[in-house]
mmCIF file with all atom_site columns, all heavy atoms in Angstrom:
data_model
loop_
_atom_site.group_PDB
_atom_site.id
_atom_site.type_symbol
_atom_site.label_atom_id
_atom_site.label_alt_id
_atom_site.label_comp_id
_atom_site.label_asym_id
_atom_site.label_entity_id
_atom_site.label_seq_id
_atom_site.pdbx_PDB_ins_code
_atom_site.Cartn_x
_atom_site.Cartn_y
_atom_site.Cartn_z
_atom_site.occupancy
_atom_site.B_iso_or_equiv
_atom_site.pdbx_formal_charge
_atom_site.auth_seq_id
_atom_site.auth_comp_id
_atom_site.auth_asym_id
_atom_site.auth_atom_id
_atom_site.pdbx_PDB_model_num
ATOM 1   N N   . HIS A 1 154 ? 33.203 -32.050 -50.854 1.00 0.00 ? 154 HIS A N   1
ATOM 2   C CA  . HIS A 1 154 ? 32.054 -32.786 -51.407 1.00 0.00 ? 154 HIS A CA  1
ATOM 3   C C   . HIS A 1 154 ? 31.636 -33.856 -50.410 1.00 0.00 ? 154 HIS A C   1
ATOM 4   O O   . HIS A 1 154 ? 32.419 -34.771 -50.134 1.00 0.00 ? 154 HIS A O   1
ATOM 5   C CB  . HIS A 1 154 ? 32.434 -33.428 -52.744 1.00 0.00 ? 154 HIS A CB  1
ATOM 6   C CG  . HIS A 1 154 ? 32.972 -32.437 -53.736 1.00 0.00 ? 154 HIS A CG  1
ATOM 7   N ND1 . HIS A 1 154 ? 32.240 -31.974 -54.795 1.00 0.00 ? 154 HIS A ND1 1
ATOM 8   C CD2 . HIS A 1 154 ? 34.179 -31.792 -53.802 1.00 0.00 ? 154 HIS A CD2 1
ATOM 9   C CE1 . HIS A 1 154 ? 32.967 -31.102 -55.481 1.00 0.00 ? 154 HIS A CE1 1
ATOM 10  N NE2 . HIS A 1 154 ? 34.141 -30.969 -54.901 1.00 0.00 ? 154 HIS A NE2 1
ATOM 11  N N   . ILE A 1 155 ? 30.439 -33.737 -49.872 1.00 0.00 ? 155 ILE A N   1
ATOM 12  C CA  . ILE A 1 155 ? 29.920 -34.773 -48.968 1.00 0.00 ? 155 ILE A CA  1
ATOM 13  C C   . ILE A 1 155 ? 28.831 -35.520 -49.715 1.00 0.00 ? 155 ILE A C   1
ATOM 14  O O   . ILE A 1 155 ? 27.829 -34.938 -50.145 1.00 0.00 ? 155 ILE A O   1
ATOM 15  C CB  . ILE A 1 155 ? 29.393 -34.160 -47.655 1.00 0.00 ? 155 ILE A CB  1
ATOM 16  C CG1 . ILE A 1 155 ? 30.553 -33.481 -46.909 1.00 0.00 ? 155 ILE A CG1 1
ATOM 17  C CG2 . ILE A 1 155 ? 28.759 -35.245 -46.788 1.00 0.00 ? 155 ILE A CG2 1
ATOM 18  C CD1 . ILE A 1 155 ? 30.162 -32.865 -45.579 1.00 0.00 ? 155 ILE A CD1 1
ATOM 19  N N   . ALA A 1 156 ? 29.047 -36.815 -49.903 1.00 0.00 ? 156 ALA A N   1
ATOM 20  C CA  . ALA A 1 156 ? 28.158 -37.612 -50.755 1.00 0.00 ? 156 ALA A CA  1
ATOM 21  C C   . ALA A 1 156 ? 27.314 -38.570 -49.913 1.00 0.00 ? 156 ALA A C   1
ATOM 22  O O   . ALA A 1 156 ? 27.758 -39.015 -48.843 1.00 0.00 ? 156 ALA A O   1
ATOM 23  C CB  . ALA A 1 156 ? 28.994 -38.400 -51.759 1.00 0.00 ? 156 ALA A CB  1
ATOM 24  N N   . PRO A 1 157 ? 26.124 -38.896 -50.390 1.00 0.00 ? 157 PRO A N   1
ATOM 25  C CA  . PRO A 1 157 ? 25.284 -39.876 -49.701 1.00 0.00 ? 157 PRO A CA  1
ATOM 26  C C   . PRO A 1 157 ? 25.559 -41.297 -50.216 1.00 0.00 ? 157 PRO A C   1
ATOM 27  O O   . PRO A 1 157 ? 26.391 -41.489 -51.104 1.00 0.00 ? 157 PRO A O   1
ATOM 28  C CB  . PRO A 1 157 ? 23.877 -39.425 -50.082 1.00 0.00 ? 157 PRO A CB  1
ATOM 29  C CG  . PRO A 1 157 ? 24.045 -38.899 -51.477 1.00 0.00 ? 157 PRO A CG  1
ATOM 30  C CD  . PRO A 1 157 ? 25.439 -38.342 -51.573 1.00 0.00 ? 157 PRO A CD  1
ATOM 31  N N   . TRP A 1 158 ? 24.799 -42.249 -49.689 1.00 0.00 ? 158 TRP A N   1
ATOM 32  C CA  . TRP A 1 158 ? 25.056 -43.659 -50.027 1.00 0.00 ? 158 TRP A CA  1
ATOM 33  C C   . TRP A 1 158 ? 24.195 -44.165 -51.179 1.00 0.00 ? 158 TRP A C   1
ATOM 34  O O   . TRP A 1 158 ? 24.355 -45.289 -51.610 1.00 0.00 ? 158 TRP A O   1
ATOM 35  C CB  . TRP A 1 158 ? 24.808 -44.545 -48.794 1.00 0.00 ? 158 TRP A CB  1
ATOM 36  C CG  . TRP A 1 158 ? 23.615 -44.128 -47.963 1.00 0.00 ? 158 TRP A CG  1
ATOM 37  C CD1 . TRP A 1 158 ? 23.658 -43.467 -46.768 1.00 0.00 ? 158 TRP A CD1 1
ATOM 38  C CD2 . TRP A 1 158 ? 22.222 -44.332 -48.246 1.00 0.00 ? 158 TRP A CD2 1
ATOM 39  N NE1 . TRP A 1 158 ? 22.380 -43.235 -46.304 1.00 0.00 ? 158 TRP A NE1 1
ATOM 40  C CE2 . TRP A 1 158 ? 21.490 -43.762 -47.186 1.00 0.00 ? 158 TRP A CE2 1
ATOM 41  C CE3 . TRP A 1 158 ? 21.523 -44.949 -49.286 1.00 0.00 ? 158 TRP A CE3 1
ATOM 42  C CZ2 . TRP A 1 158 ? 20.097 -43.788 -47.146 1.00 0.00 ? 158 TRP A CZ2 1
ATOM 43  C CZ3 . TRP A 1 158 ? 20.142 -44.974 -49.249 1.00 0.00 ? 158 TRP A CZ3 1
ATOM 44  C CH2 . TRP A 1 158 ? 19.444 -44.386 -48.186 1.00 0.00 ? 158 TRP A CH2 1
ATOM 45  N N   . ASN A 1 159 ? 23.256 -43.370 -51.661 1.00 0.00 ? 159 ASN A N   1
ATOM 46  C CA  . ASN A 1 159 ? 22.299 -43.958 -52.621 1.00 0.00 ? 159 ASN A CA  1
ATOM 47  C C   . ASN A 1 159 ? 22.860 -44.107 -54.030 1.00 0.00 ? 159 ASN A C   1
ATOM 48  O O   . ASN A 1 159 ? 22.614 -45.121 -54.685 1.00 0.00 ? 159 ASN A O   1
ATOM 49  C CB  . ASN A 1 159 ? 20.973 -43.187 -52.614 1.00 0.00 ? 159 ASN A CB  1
ATOM 50  C CG  . ASN A 1 159 ? 21.136 -41.712 -52.838 1.00 0.00 ? 159 ASN A CG  1
ATOM 51  O OD1 . ASN A 1 159 ? 22.240 -41.170 -52.764 1.00 0.00 ? 159 ASN A OD1 1
ATOM 52  N ND2 . ASN A 1 159 ? 20.042 -41.029 -53.102 1.00 0.00 ? 159 ASN A ND2 1
ATOM 53  N N   . TYR A 1 160 ? 23.607 -43.092 -54.505 1.00 0.00 ? 160 TYR A N   1
ATOM 54  C CA  . TYR A 1 160 ? 24.242 -43.181 -55.825 1.00 0.00 ? 160 TYR A CA  1
ATOM 55  C C   . TYR A 1 160 ? 25.670 -42.663 -55.726 1.00 0.00 ? 160 TYR A C   1
ATOM 56  O O   . TYR A 1 160 ? 25.993 -41.612 -56.298 1.00 0.00 ? 160 TYR A O   1
ATOM 57  C CB  . TYR A 1 160 ? 23.481 -42.339 -56.852 1.00 0.00 ? 160 TYR A CB  1
ATOM 58  C CG  . TYR A 1 160 ? 22.105 -42.846 -57.219 1.00 0.00 ? 160 TYR A CG  1
ATOM 59  C CD1 . TYR A 1 160 ? 20.975 -42.408 -56.544 1.00 0.00 ? 160 TYR A CD1 1
ATOM 60  C CD2 . TYR A 1 160 ? 21.946 -43.763 -58.270 1.00 0.00 ? 160 TYR A CD2 1
ATOM 61  C CE1 . TYR A 1 160 ? 19.709 -42.870 -56.885 1.00 0.00 ? 160 TYR A CE1 1
ATOM 62  C CE2 . TYR A 1 160 ? 20.679 -44.224 -58.623 1.00 0.00 ? 160 TYR A CE2 1
ATOM 63  C CZ  . TYR A 1 160 ? 19.569 -43.771 -57.930 1.00 0.00 ? 160 TYR A CZ  1
ATOM 64  O OH  . TYR A 1 160 ? 18.319 -44.229 -58.277 1.00 0.00 ? 160 TYR A OH  1
ATOM 65  N N   . PRO A 1 161 ? 26.526 -43.353 -54.992 1.00 0.00 ? 161 PRO A N   1
ATOM 66  C CA  . PRO A 1 161 ? 27.871 -42.801 -54.764 1.00 0.00 ? 161 PRO A CA  1
ATOM 67  C C   . PRO A 1 161 ? 28.612 -42.489 -56.062 1.00 0.00 ? 161 PRO A C   1
ATOM 68  O O   . PRO A 1 161 ? 29.151 -41.384 -56.204 1.00 0.00 ? 161 PRO A O   1
ATOM 69  C CB  . PRO A 1 161 ? 28.578 -43.915 -53.989 1.00 0.00 ? 161 PRO A CB  1
ATOM 70  C CG  . PRO A 1 161 ? 27.517 -44.799 -53.476 1.00 0.00 ? 161 PRO A CG  1
ATOM 71  C CD  . PRO A 1 161 ? 26.308 -44.634 -54.320 1.00 0.00 ? 161 PRO A CD  1
ATOM 72  N N   . LEU A 1 162 ? 28.631 -43.411 -56.997 1.00 0.00 ? 162 LEU A N   1
ATOM 73  C CA  . LEU A 1 162 ? 29.376 -43.184 -58.247 1.00 0.00 ? 162 LEU A CA  1
ATOM 74  C C   . LEU A 1 162 ? 28.827 -41.984 -59.008 1.00 0.00 ? 162 LEU A C   1
ATOM 75  O O   . LEU A 1 162 ? 29.569 -41.122 -59.470 1.00 0.00 ? 162 LEU A O   1
ATOM 76  C CB  . LEU A 1 162 ? 29.255 -44.406 -59.154 1.00 0.00 ? 162 LEU A CB  1
ATOM 77  C CG  . LEU A 1 162 ? 30.336 -45.486 -59.097 1.00 0.00 ? 162 LEU A CG  1
ATOM 78  C CD1 . LEU A 1 162 ? 29.954 -46.645 -60.004 1.00 0.00 ? 162 LEU A CD1 1
ATOM 79  C CD2 . LEU A 1 162 ? 31.703 -44.929 -59.469 1.00 0.00 ? 162 LEU A CD2 1
ATOM 80  N N   . GLN A 1 163 ? 27.510 -41.956 -59.147 1.00 0.00 ? 163 GLN A N   1
ATOM 81  C CA  . GLN A 1 163 ? 26.889 -40.877 -59.935 1.00 0.00 ? 163 GLN A CA  1
ATOM 82  C C   . GLN A 1 163 ? 27.090 -39.526 -59.261 1.00 0.00 ? 163 GLN A C   1
ATOM 83  O O   . GLN A 1 163 ? 27.358 -38.524 -59.929 1.00 0.00 ? 163 GLN A O   1
ATOM 84  C CB  . GLN A 1 163 ? 25.379 -41.128 -60.073 1.00 0.00 ? 163 GLN A CB  1
ATOM 85  C CG  . GLN A 1 163 ? 25.032 -42.220 -61.035 1.00 0.00 ? 163 GLN A CG  1
ATOM 86  C CD  . GLN A 1 163 ? 23.672 -41.967 -61.677 1.00 0.00 ? 163 GLN A CD  1
ATOM 87  O OE1 . GLN A 1 163 ? 23.352 -40.850 -62.056 1.00 0.00 ? 163 GLN A OE1 1
ATOM 88  N NE2 . GLN A 1 163 ? 22.876 -43.009 -61.810 1.00 0.00 ? 163 GLN A NE2 1
ATOM 89  N N   . ILE A 1 164 ? 26.915 -39.489 -57.941 1.00 0.00 ? 164 ILE A N   1
ATOM 90  C CA  . ILE A 1 164 ? 26.952 -38.187 -57.260 1.00 0.00 ? 164 ILE A CA  1
ATOM 91  C C   . ILE A 1 164 ? 28.386 -37.673 -57.169 1.00 0.00 ? 164 ILE A C   1
ATOM 92  O O   . ILE A 1 164 ? 28.641 -36.475 -57.344 1.00 0.00 ? 164 ILE A O   1
ATOM 93  C CB  . ILE A 1 164 ? 26.220 -38.263 -55.902 1.00 0.00 ? 164 ILE A CB  1
ATOM 94  C CG1 . ILE A 1 164 ? 24.730 -38.447 -56.183 1.00 0.00 ? 164 ILE A CG1 1
ATOM 95  C CG2 . ILE A 1 164 ? 26.484 -37.024 -55.056 1.00 0.00 ? 164 ILE A CG2 1
ATOM 96  C CD1 . ILE A 1 164 ? 23.851 -38.716 -54.992 1.00 0.00 ? 164 ILE A CD1 1
ATOM 97  N N   . VAL A 1 165 ? 29.344 -38.573 -56.968 1.00 0.00 ? 165 VAL A N   1
ATOM 98  C CA  . VAL A 1 165 ? 30.746 -38.151 -57.008 1.00 0.00 ? 165 VAL A CA  1
ATOM 99  C C   . VAL A 1 165 ? 31.079 -37.656 -58.417 1.00 0.00 ? 165 VAL A C   1
ATOM 100 O O   . VAL A 1 165 ? 31.701 -36.610 -58.601 1.00 0.00 ? 165 VAL A O   1
ATOM 101 C CB  . VAL A 1 165 ? 31.674 -39.302 -56.551 1.00 0.00 ? 165 VAL A CB  1
ATOM 102 C CG1 . VAL A 1 165 ? 33.123 -39.000 -56.909 1.00 0.00 ? 165 VAL A CG1 1
ATOM 103 C CG2 . VAL A 1 165 ? 31.539 -39.509 -55.050 1.00 0.00 ? 165 VAL A CG2 1
ATOM 104 N N   . GLY A 1 166 ? 30.601 -38.392 -59.440 1.00 0.00 ? 166 GLY A N   1
ATOM 105 C CA  . GLY A 1 166 ? 30.870 -37.985 -60.818 1.00 0.00 ? 166 GLY A CA  1
ATOM 106 C C   . GLY A 1 166 ? 30.326 -36.607 -61.122 1.00 0.00 ? 166 GLY A C   1
ATOM 107 O O   . GLY A 1 166 ? 31.024 -35.750 -61.677 1.00 0.00 ? 166 GLY A O   1
ATOM 108 N N   . ARG A 1 167 ? 29.094 -36.374 -60.728 1.00 0.00 ? 167 ARG A N   1
ATOM 109 C CA  . ARG A 1 167 ? 28.482 -35.102 -61.113 1.00 0.00 ? 167 ARG A CA  1
ATOM 110 C C   . ARG A 1 167 ? 29.096 -33.929 -60.366 1.00 0.00 ? 167 ARG A C   1
ATOM 111 O O   . ARG A 1 167 ? 29.277 -32.852 -60.931 1.00 0.00 ? 167 ARG A O   1
ATOM 112 C CB  . ARG A 1 167 ? 26.963 -35.160 -60.916 1.00 0.00 ? 167 ARG A CB  1
ATOM 113 C CG  . ARG A 1 167 ? 26.472 -34.855 -59.526 1.00 0.00 ? 167 ARG A CG  1
ATOM 114 C CD  . ARG A 1 167 ? 24.957 -34.912 -59.406 1.00 0.00 ? 167 ARG A CD  1
ATOM 115 N NE  . ARG A 1 167 ? 24.559 -34.473 -58.100 1.00 0.00 ? 167 ARG A NE  1
ATOM 116 C CZ  . ARG A 1 167 ? 23.462 -34.856 -57.478 1.00 0.00 ? 167 ARG A CZ  1
ATOM 117 N NH1 . ARG A 1 167 ? 22.625 -35.684 -58.059 1.00 0.00 ? 167 ARG A NH1 1
ATOM 118 N NH2 . ARG A 1 167 ? 23.172 -34.390 -56.295 1.00 0.00 ? 167 ARG A NH2 1
ATOM 119 N N   . SER A 1 168 ? 29.422 -34.130 -59.092 1.00 0.00 ? 168 SER A N   1
ATOM 120 C CA  . SER A 1 168 ? 29.854 -32.952 -58.341 1.00 0.00 ? 168 SER A CA  1
ATOM 121 C C   . SER A 1 168 ? 31.358 -32.713 -58.494 1.00 0.00 ? 168 SER A C   1
ATOM 122 O O   . SER A 1 168 ? 31.798 -31.595 -58.768 1.00 0.00 ? 168 SER A O   1
ATOM 123 C CB  . SER A 1 168 ? 29.353 -33.055 -56.900 1.00 0.00 ? 168 SER A CB  1
ATOM 124 O OG  . SER A 1 168 ? 30.322 -33.250 -55.970 1.00 0.00 ? 168 SER A OG  1
ATOM 125 N N   . VAL A 1 169 ? 32.144 -33.796 -58.423 1.00 0.00 ? 169 VAL A N   1
ATOM 126 C CA  . VAL A 1 169 ? 33.585 -33.645 -58.586 1.00 0.00 ? 169 VAL A CA  1
ATOM 127 C C   . VAL A 1 169 ? 33.929 -33.328 -60.047 1.00 0.00 ? 169 VAL A C   1
ATOM 128 O O   . VAL A 1 169 ? 34.835 -32.535 -60.325 1.00 0.00 ? 169 VAL A O   1
ATOM 129 C CB  . VAL A 1 169 ? 34.260 -34.955 -58.100 1.00 0.00 ? 169 VAL A CB  1
ATOM 130 C CG1 . VAL A 1 169 ? 35.641 -35.113 -58.675 1.00 0.00 ? 169 VAL A CG1 1
ATOM 131 C CG2 . VAL A 1 169 ? 34.288 -34.986 -56.578 1.00 0.00 ? 169 VAL A CG2 1
ATOM 132 N N   . GLY A 1 170 ? 33.187 -33.940 -60.979 1.00 0.00 ? 170 GLY A N   1
ATOM 133 C CA  . GLY A 1 170 ? 33.442 -33.687 -62.401 1.00 0.00 ? 170 GLY A CA  1
ATOM 134 C C   . GLY A 1 170 ? 33.332 -32.205 -62.724 1.00 0.00 ? 170 GLY A C   1
ATOM 135 O O   . GLY A 1 170 ? 34.219 -31.621 -63.365 1.00 0.00 ? 170 GLY A O   1
ATOM 136 N N   . ALA A 1 171 ? 32.258 -31.585 -62.261 1.00 0.00 ? 171 ALA A N   1
ATOM 137 C CA  . ALA A 1 171 ? 32.044 -30.167 -62.552 1.00 0.00 ? 171 ALA A CA  1
ATOM 138 C C   . ALA A 1 171 ? 33.071 -29.298 -61.821 1.00 0.00 ? 171 ALA A C   1
ATOM 139 O O   . ALA A 1 171 ? 33.603 -28.333 -62.372 1.00 0.00 ? 171 ALA A O   1
ATOM 140 C CB  . ALA A 1 171 ? 30.631 -29.757 -62.156 1.00 0.00 ? 171 ALA A CB  1
ATOM 141 N N   . ALA A 1 172 ? 33.354 -29.643 -60.563 1.00 0.00 ? 172 ALA A N   1
ATOM 142 C CA  . ALA A 1 172 ? 34.295 -28.838 -59.779 1.00 0.00 ? 172 ALA A CA  1
ATOM 143 C C   . ALA A 1 172 ? 35.691 -28.877 -60.391 1.00 0.00 ? 172 ALA A C   1
ATOM 144 O O   . ALA A 1 172 ? 36.362 -27.847 -60.513 1.00 0.00 ? 172 ALA A O   1
ATOM 145 C CB  . ALA A 1 172 ? 34.331 -29.336 -58.328 1.00 0.00 ? 172 ALA A CB  1
ATOM 146 N N   . LEU A 1 173 ? 36.139 -30.072 -60.782 1.00 0.00 ? 173 LEU A N   1
ATOM 147 C CA  . LEU A 1 173 ? 37.469 -30.201 -61.380 1.00 0.00 ? 173 LEU A CA  1
ATOM 148 C C   . LEU A 1 173 ? 37.528 -29.481 -62.720 1.00 0.00 ? 173 LEU A C   1
ATOM 149 O O   . LEU A 1 173 ? 38.533 -28.854 -63.051 1.00 0.00 ? 173 LEU A O   1
ATOM 150 C CB  . LEU A 1 173 ? 37.829 -31.682 -61.549 1.00 0.00 ? 173 LEU A CB  1
ATOM 151 C CG  . LEU A 1 173 ? 38.122 -32.468 -60.259 1.00 0.00 ? 173 LEU A CG  1
ATOM 152 C CD1 . LEU A 1 173 ? 38.229 -33.954 -60.573 1.00 0.00 ? 173 LEU A CD1 1
ATOM 153 C CD2 . LEU A 1 173 ? 39.396 -31.980 -59.580 1.00 0.00 ? 173 LEU A CD2 1
ATOM 154 N N   . ALA A 1 174 ? 36.460 -29.582 -63.505 1.00 0.00 ? 174 ALA A N   1
ATOM 155 C CA  . ALA A 1 174 ? 36.450 -28.924 -64.822 1.00 0.00 ? 174 ALA A CA  1
ATOM 156 C C   . ALA A 1 174 ? 36.700 -27.426 -64.670 1.00 0.00 ? 174 ALA A C   1
ATOM 157 O O   . ALA A 1 174 ? 37.372 -26.806 -65.497 1.00 0.00 ? 174 ALA A O   1
ATOM 158 C CB  . ALA A 1 174 ? 35.118 -29.179 -65.526 1.00 0.00 ? 174 ALA A CB  1
ATOM 159 N N   . CYS A 1 175 ? 36.169 -26.831 -63.600 1.00 0.00 ? 175 CYS A N   1
ATOM 160 C CA  . CYS A 1 175 ? 36.351 -25.392 -63.368 1.00 0.00 ? 175 CYS A CA  1
ATOM 161 C C   . CYS A 1 175 ? 37.750 -25.060 -62.852 1.00 0.00 ? 175 CYS A C   1
ATOM 162 O O   . CYS A 1 175 ? 38.109 -23.886 -62.765 1.00 0.00 ? 175 CYS A O   1
ATOM 163 C CB  . CYS A 1 175 ? 35.334 -24.893 -62.341 1.00 0.00 ? 175 CYS A CB  1
ATOM 164 S SG  . CYS A 1 175 ? 33.638 -24.952 -62.908 1.00 0.00 ? 175 CYS A SG  1
ATOM 165 N N   . GLY A 1 176 ? 38.492 -26.088 -62.422 1.00 0.00 ? 176 GLY A N   1
ATOM 166 C CA  . GLY A 1 176 ? 39.844 -25.846 -61.932 1.00 0.00 ? 176 GLY A CA  1
ATOM 167 C C   . GLY A 1 176 ? 39.984 -25.914 -60.422 1.00 0.00 ? 176 GLY A C   1
ATOM 168 O O   . GLY A 1 176 ? 41.041 -25.610 -59.882 1.00 0.00 ? 176 GLY A O   1
ATOM 169 N N   . ASN A 1 177 ? 38.912 -26.307 -59.731 1.00 0.00 ? 177 ASN A N   1
ATOM 170 C CA  . ASN A 1 177 ? 39.018 -26.477 -58.283 1.00 0.00 ? 177 ASN A CA  1
ATOM 171 C C   . ASN A 1 177 ? 39.768 -27.761 -57.955 1.00 0.00 ? 177 ASN A C   1
ATOM 172 O O   . ASN A 1 177 ? 39.808 -28.690 -58.781 1.00 0.00 ? 177 ASN A O   1
ATOM 173 C CB  . ASN A 1 177 ? 37.615 -26.585 -57.661 1.00 0.00 ? 177 ASN A CB  1
ATOM 174 C CG  . ASN A 1 177 ? 36.757 -25.380 -57.941 1.00 0.00 ? 177 ASN A CG  1
ATOM 175 O OD1 . ASN A 1 177 ? 36.951 -24.323 -57.347 1.00 0.00 ? 177 ASN A OD1 1
ATOM 176 N ND2 . ASN A 1 177 ? 35.809 -25.523 -58.867 1.00 0.00 ? 177 ASN A ND2 1
ATOM 177 N N   . ALA A 1 178 ? 40.320 -27.845 -56.762 1.00 0.00 ? 178 ALA A N   1
ATOM 178 C CA  . ALA A 1 178 ? 40.863 -29.104 -56.245 1.00 0.00 ? 178 ALA A CA  1
ATOM 179 C C   . ALA A 1 178 ? 39.903 -29.604 -55.172 1.00 0.00 ? 178 ALA A C   1
ATOM 180 O O   . ALA A 1 178 ? 39.334 -28.800 -54.425 1.00 0.00 ? 178 ALA A O   1
ATOM 181 C CB  . ALA A 1 178 ? 42.251 -28.895 -55.670 1.00 0.00 ? 178 ALA A CB  1
#
Side-chain angles (χ1 to χ4, degrees):
H154 305 256
I155 297 181
W158 39 256
N159 54 347
Y160 291 92
L162 266 176
Q163 286 210 42
I164 291 173
V165 166
R167 84 179 186 208
S168 111
V169 159
L173 289 171
C175 293
N177 301 285

